[in-house]
Amino acid sequence: MDYFAQQAVNALALGGTYALLALGLAVVFSILGLINFAHGELMTITGYGLVFSLAAGVPYPGALICGVALAVFCAVAMERVAFRPVRRASATTMLLTSFAVSSILHTAFQNFISARPKPVPVPEWLGGAFTLAGIQIGAIPSLSILVTVVALATLVWFFQSAQTGLAMRAASEDFAVTRLMGINANRVIAASFAISGFLAAVAGILWLFQRGSVDPMMGFVPVLKAFIAAVLGGLGSLQGAVLGGLILGATEVMLRAYLPEALLGFRDAIALALIIGLLIVFPNGLMGRPIQAR
Amino acid sequence: MKRIVACFYIALSWLFASGLAHAADPLKIGFVGGQTGYMAQCDQPNLKGMELAVAQINAKGGIDGKLPIELIARDSRSEVAPSAVMAQELLSEGVTVMISPCDVDHSVAVAQITAAAQVPTISSCASTPSLASVGGEFMFINCTPDNLQGGVLGKYAAEQGYKRALVLVSRDTPYTYQLPMYFADAFKKAGGELIGTVEYKLGQQDFAAEVTKIKALQPQPDVIMTSAYEPDFPAFLKQLRSAGVTAAVLGSDGLDSPTIWGLGAVADGVVFSTAGFPVEGSSLAQFASDYKQHFGEESQTSFNATGYDIIKIIEAAVVATGDKTDGKSIRDAIDNLQDVQVATGKITYRGLNRIPLRSVALNKVQDGKKTFVSTVTLQPGEIPPPN
């Protein structure tokens, strides 16, 4: 039972990080219909922002803020430079643009920063753990869970109460009508990118605390996971993205914990098969809206 | 008339070009490596090491003072198919010796092309011993082979009095799977017991499930061995220690990077095998200072030195042929090299089926620094047979 409880905490911590990432993808998708595969690079940018501001002598909390601010700035810049010119093009064009942005950034990191990982100093206390009701919980997983909850709560408030948040929700329902109501399209889209950059930065920092280094390829795996989570939850649904992230995290951790050794090599295949199974039952994802017109 | 002029012009330029080429006629060495993509973290530093060696040799007039080297590098983008294409391209540029990418399957792709052309090929850092047989008569390994490293670590673990070992493996690459298995072979042979194998995926980040599994083991392992490298290794180690598992941790040459000893207290006591240690006055210390002088920055990884080694191996082989530069002669010469002094130490190929014998250095992370434990040379009987 202890073992299960421990693994459940692990699942929640990983699922929370996936949820943050998937939510970042979903915020942009719900408005633009774009899956931004360069989302993972925003995590990497956060890492480099942190490393370079620490090297410049900025104290740790300040460096964290610099990292987050840089990611938000780059997300908005990405939209302005790469996605705005193709906004009226087909979804495929935008998708390919995002692949291009991602691979240009990879190569730029490799050639202008370093192909080798750069160490990210992590505060010592994050290596600790505490015991709660017989379950040992590491400082990083608890931080992951805490940060996820706070970030999600802030977002819920933002979408329910802030004017830009309301405008974004309306835009995700029907962009054309929202614009007719006098909402500035550029502002709503820039805001969605800023939020996705912020979420990527937060997830990126949690990720960095766990690995202790930043390298050019860092964002590659997480963005794939986030994509799977977002599809599972229903593309375009924000609640769905969170749910998808949590389910994906839990599935991965539980398979790793309970699969017999001989089957462990297949665990990704099994996890994806389970997700395909879910998608057969819920073709639009768990919380996706049915697509009315094709 | 126009046509005759054109023909004359072409003939003249051809004569001129071939005449010029003959005057310099350098030894062309091709390097197909992942300058971008996931292998860049190994193959970029490899290239720098090679460039240093080429610069040093050419500054003295070339190999034996008369044969300059021209290094032509191509980016494989860390993918298999472009590796083959780039190899073909370099062959048509007339390279005599080829250096193939860091990963084993990419090297096989290159070897399939170079073997047919009888161009000796050395992998920059693939260390799977079977590469030399799969790649054919012209394929050589440069880095310390996995079975040698596994053997050294297994023997070391037993000598430390560890009784129960656990290995963390990933089936994603032969390096991350077979090296720990060779360790297990050697450890069991020396009287130890393997109590568990835990699997991970490259780039997995989150090791909570695996660490919880290890923590639940009764009795606990004395030592955990893995050939995971960055970013997996730091993530695993941090989560392992934060869960309170105190077993000793052993790793392999993928850990030879300042980012590992930069991890802080968590990495204290980690022992890893690598090609050498820059003891004062050693060839590796000399290399480190040459590197700094040439590039104006510290060498950040052992791949700089192993890249340098390849050019030194080729130099030694060409000298041994008496300055013959055909592929077959160079191949035979490399196959016959013995105790060649390279940056990381000495290297021998004679009688070993193109798998090098190198001395292996054990290093330990202590107080944020890399410290020297010992240099180990195994007896042939102590090296686990390649599978």
Side-chain angles (χ1 to χ4, degrees):
Chain A
M1 188 58 208
D2 272 1
Y3 181 75
F4 175 79
Q6 185 86 57
Q7 295 290 17
V9 171
N10 297 341
L12 197 57
L14 182 65
T17 316
Y18 285 166
L20 287 177
L21 281 166
L23 195 55
L25 284 184
V27 165
V28 169
F29 185 89
S30 67
I31 289 170
L32 268 191
L34 156 76
I35 287 289
N36 181 12
F37 273 94
H39 193 67
E41 273 53 64
L42 295 169
M43 297 171 79
T44 318
I45 286 171
T46 312
Y48 285 126
L50 178 59
V51 167
F52 288 120
S53 38
L54 282 175
V58 181
Y60 210 91
L64 284 177
I65 294 170
C66 286
V68 175
L70 186 65
V72 171
F73 171 79
C74 288
V76 175
M78 216 181 249
E79 191 273 323
R80 185 68 195 82
V81 175
F83 297 121
R84 193 173 293 183
V86 294
R87 195 186 288 167
R88 285 172 206 286
S90 72
T92 322
T93 309
M94 288 210 282
L95 184 70
L96 289 178
T97 307
S98 84
F99 278 124
V101 171
S102 163
S103 86
I104 288 170
L105 286 174
H106 274 167
T107 316
F109 297 149
Q110 277 173 343
N111 290 312
F112 299 121
I113 299 179
S114 171
R116 304 281 310 164
K118 290 240 173 242
V120 176
V122 178
E124 283 295 327
W125 60 269
L126 278 174
F130 59 91
T131 312
L132 190 76
I135 307 167
Q136 194 176 31
I137 308 178
I140 292 176
S142 14
L143 190 70
S144 298
I145 297 172
L146 189 71
V147 167
T148 309
V149 171
V150 172
L152 293 182
T154 315
L155 267 187
V156 167
W157 168 83
F158 177 77
F159 284 122
Q160 303 283 354
S161 314
Q163 201 210 353
T164 315
L166 283 172
M168 287 172 69
R169 267 173 59 209
S172 75
E173 296 271 333
D174 192 328
F175 205 175
V177 171
T178 311
R179 292 184 70 180
L180 290 176
M181 302 289 139
I183 299 290
N184 182 334
N186 284 343
R187 220 185 82 202
V188 167
I189 291 173
S192 73
F193 271 89
I195 292 173
S196 86
F198 176 75
L199 291 169
V202 172
I205 287 171
L206 294 173
W207 219 240
L208 285 165
F209 282 164
Q210 264 184 10
R211 52 187 266 153
S213 67
V214 48
D215 67 60
M217 309 299 282
M218 182 179 124
F220 181 68
V221 174
V223 78
L224 286 184
K225 304 281 186 186
F227 177 57
I228 296 170
V231 170
L232 176 62
L235 271 175
S237 157
L238 304 183
Q239 299 94 322
V242 174
L243 186 65
L246 290 173
I247 292 178
L248 182 65
T251 314
E252 283 192 357
V253 168
M254 289 308 168
L255 286 177
R256 272 151 55 196
Y258 289 104
L259 270 189
E261 203 177 295
L263 286 178
L264 268 178
F266 301 101
R267 62 183 210 221
D268 279 6
I270 295 172
L272 289 175
L274 288 175
I275 287 169
I276 291 171
L278 272 176
L279 286 176
I280 289 173
V281 184
F282 302 95
N284 297 304
L286 296 173
M287 301 181 83
R289 283 167 298 190
I291 297 166
Q292 275 126 4
R294 270 266 177 231
Chain B
M1 185 61 198
K2 249 185 190 165
R3 189 179 291 169
I4 296 171
V5 171
C7 285
F8 181 72
Y9 179 74
I10 289 168
L12 195 70
S13 61
W14 179 75
L15 270 176
F16 188 63
S18 64
L20 266 188
H22 194 74
D25 232 6
L27 178 77
K28 286 188 181 172
I29 300 177
F31 174 35
V32 179
Q35 299 304 313
T36 53
Y38 78 93
M39 247 188 291
Q41 59 164 315
C42 309
D43 274 345
Q44 273 193 13
N46 271 319
L47 178 59
K48 281 195 146 183
M50 292 171 205
E51 283 169 350
L52 174 59
V54 169
Q56 284 180 351
I57 292 170
N58 286 350
K60 291 183 188 153
I63 298 174
D64 246 358
K66 55 196 176 204
L67 179 62
I69 299 175
E70 185 187 342
L71 179 66
I72 313 172
R74 287 280 185 277
D75 182 11
S76 73
R77 306 202 300 272
S78 302
E79 288 170 32
V80 174
S83 301
V85 175
M86 295 302 158
Q88 193 66 59
E89 197 177 307
L90 286 175
L91 282 189
S92 51
E93 290 205 21
V95 302
T96 312
V97 184
M98 186 78 83
I99 302 168
S100 65
C102 191
D103 221 341
V104 55
D105 33 358
H106 305 241
S107 284
V108 170
V110 171
Q112 281 173 348
I113 287 166
T114 52
Q118 299 212 322
V119 168
T121 304
I122 307 174
S123 171
S124 61
C125 41
S127 55
T128 308
S130 58
L131 170 62
S133 47
V134 175
E137 286 287 296
F138 281 78
M139 184 77 230
F140 292 85
I141 289 172
N142 166 45
C143 273
T144 316
D146 295 344
N147 53 339
L148 184 53
Q149 275 196 69
V152 167
L153 288 163
K155 188 180 172 196
Y156 171 81
E159 281 169 3
Q160 296 305 300
Y162 304 141
K163 298 274 179 280
R164 295 175 300 276
L166 178 134
V167 289
L168 175 76
V169 302
S170 169
R171 289 178 198 263
D172 294 346
T173 70
Y175 178 80
T176 48
Y177 183 70
Q178 285 178 358
L179 205 161
M181 291 304 162
Y182 290 125
F183 161 84
D185 285 352
F187 186 63
K188 282 189 275 192
K189 209 172 157 194
E193 186 195 352
L194 180 71
I195 61 163
T197 307
V198 174
E199 290 200 25
Y200 73 102
K201 283 264 172 202
L202 291 190
Q204 127 172 358
Q205 273 307 307
D206 174 70
F207 284 90
E210 289 73 17
V211 164
T212 305
K213 229 182 215 180
I214 295 173
K215 185 142 169 71
L217 285 176
Q218 280 307 333
Q220 283 280 289
D222 300 318
V223 59
I224 297 172
M225 191 273 155
T226 178
S227 48
Y229 43 92
E230 290 169 292
D232 306 320
F233 181 81
F236 170 70
L237 186 66
K238 278 165 178 257
Q239 292 169 48
L240 185 76
R241 293 303 187 223
S242 100
V245 177
T246 54
V249 172
L250 299 182
S252 54
D253 55 0
L255 299 187
D256 196 355
S257 161
T259 38
I260 295 294
W261 39 101
L263 285 175
V266 74
D268 250 6
V270 169
V271 172
F272 62 91
S273 55
T274 184
F277 183 86
V279 190
E280 188 95 358
S282 67
S283 52
L284 198 53
Q286 178 65 44
F287 169 81
S289 89
D290 289 353
Y291 186 94
K292 195 173 176 195
Q293 206 180 358
H294 189 82
F295 292 109
E297 59 181 25
E298 299 280 350
S299 163
Q300 289 291 306
T301 153
S302 63
F303 293 117
N304 289 138
T306 52
Y308 181 92
D309 288 356
I310 302 178
I311 302 293
K312 299 302 276 183
I313 291 164
I314 297 170
E315 181 191 27
V318 173
V319 169
T321 60
D323 298 341
K324 283 197 197 130
T325 52
D326 63 292
K328 182 81 173 65
S329 308
I330 295 178
R331 190 222 82 93
D332 292 347
I334 301 176
D335 206 18
N336 218 14
L337 290 177
Q338 207 163 8
D339 287 333
V340 177
Q341 182 68 51
V342 291
T344 50
K346 285 197 167 135
I347 190 165
T348 292
Y349 283 99
R350 172 178 277 181
L352 293 166
N353 295 319
R354 305 179 299 288
I355 304 171
L357 184 65
R358 287 168 163 275
S359 56
V360 178
L362 290 173
N363 292 191
K364 188 180 207 164
V365 181
Q366 202 108 57
D367 303 325
K369 279 205 252 335
K370 170 167 84 161
T371 60
F372 182 56
V373 178
S374 61
T375 297
V376 186
T377 314
L378 289 186
Q379 299 305 314
E382 292 176 313
I383 305 174
N387 53 26

